[in-house]
Amino acid sequence: MQKNLLNIAIAVCAIAAISASYADDLRWFWVLKPLTTILIFLLPLLFTDGLPSNFSHFRKKILVALLFCLAGDVFLLNDEYFALGLGSFLIAHVLFAYVFYKLSNKKLYLLPLLVLLAIALTYYSILFPKLGSLALPVAVYFCCIIVMCWQSFRLGLSLKNAKGLGFIIATNLFVISDSVIAANKFLVPFSASSIIVLALYWLSITLLANLFSGPDIHSKMTPSAEA
């Protein structure tokens, strides 16, 4: 299968899954949601030729992170397993953050971190009265996703190219998607939330999967890293 064809299949499957969700067709949604993430998982699994050596070095960790995303997708099909879904995505974020950290240079780039902390603390303070027993798990999750997003900024600013911008865009799409989940679950439920959440989430991990697959990567990686 060509990489472009796989990306088209991902897009078609994602649109079908989102349509099924919006139409409350749970039978098809329960099939198409994990299937979309499985197709995304195939990108770095199947396409490795032409991948920069340091990207290839961390490809397995990205694959494991995507498997935890898949687990999170399955758990979140049932609200009773929300905490397990949260935990699965938390592990994925930790793995993404680790890879970004190892691939970036030694500069801290504290300004993005401060901005992210300010936004996260503001949003968490709004959510807090509604969180109940989930206050601590959600706080831990917030910390992990902030670290992941910060590390993507560090990597992006280290690379200073289109690939680096791709990492920043991908992780910010993930953050926005998670923010909409929180707003829908804890603040004001709204019918379009599933469309926004799924579209941003799949755009995010599809971009990350493409960045860790070859050969259609336009720019070479400059910093080197060790495990």
Side-chain angles (χ1 to χ4, degrees), residues 34 40-41 45 53 56 58 66 68-69 71 85 103 113 125 132 141 156 163-164 211:
I40 294 168
F41 174 82
L45 179 67
S53 60
S56 182
F58 291 105
L66 290 173
F68 276 103
C69 288
L103 288 172
L113 175 61
S125 67
Y141 189 87
K163 190 194 302 287
L211 288 167

Side-chain angles (χ1 to χ4, degrees), residues 86 89-98 100 112-114 116-125 127 131 134-152 171 175 178-179:
L86 199 71
F89 280 113
L90 185 148
I91 295 171
H93 291 322
V94 170
L95 289 168
F96 286 136
Y98 172 78
F100 299 157
L113 175 61
L114 294 176
L116 289 167
L117 282 173
I119 295 171
L121 287 172
T122 301
Y123 194 45
Y124 185 79
S125 67
L127 292 174
L131 295 178
L134 289 174
L136 181 57
V138 171
V140 173
Y141 189 87
F142 265 52
C143 291
C144 287
I145 202 167
I146 288 170
V147 171
M148 180 194 72
C149 198
W150 174 40
Q151 295 307 316
S152 77
T171 53
V175 170
D178 282 345
S179 300

Side-chain angles (χ1 to χ4, degrees), residues 42-59:
L42 293 178
L43 281 166
L45 179 67
L46 297 179
F47 299 97
T48 59
D49 292 340
L51 190 63
S53 60
N54 40 5
F55 271 39
S56 182
H57 182 74
F58 291 105
R59 185 178 59 88

Side-chain angles (χ1 to χ4, degrees), residues 96-97 100-101 103-105 107-117 119 145-161 163-173 175 208:
F96 286 136
F100 299 157
Y101 166 76
L103 288 172
S104 61
N105 64 27
K107 292 183 180 179
L108 290 179
Y109 297 106
L110 291 177
L111 181 58
L113 175 61
L114 294 176
V115 173
L116 289 167
L117 282 173
I119 295 171
I145 202 167
I146 288 170
V147 171
M148 180 194 72
C149 198
W150 174 40
Q151 295 307 316
S152 77
F153 271 100
R154 290 186 64 238
L155 178 54
L157 293 171
S158 299
L159 296 176
K160 299 179 181 178
N161 58 16
K163 190 194 302 287
L165 179 61
F167 285 112
I168 294 172
I169 291 172
T171 53
N172 276 277
L173 289 174
V175 170
L208 287 173

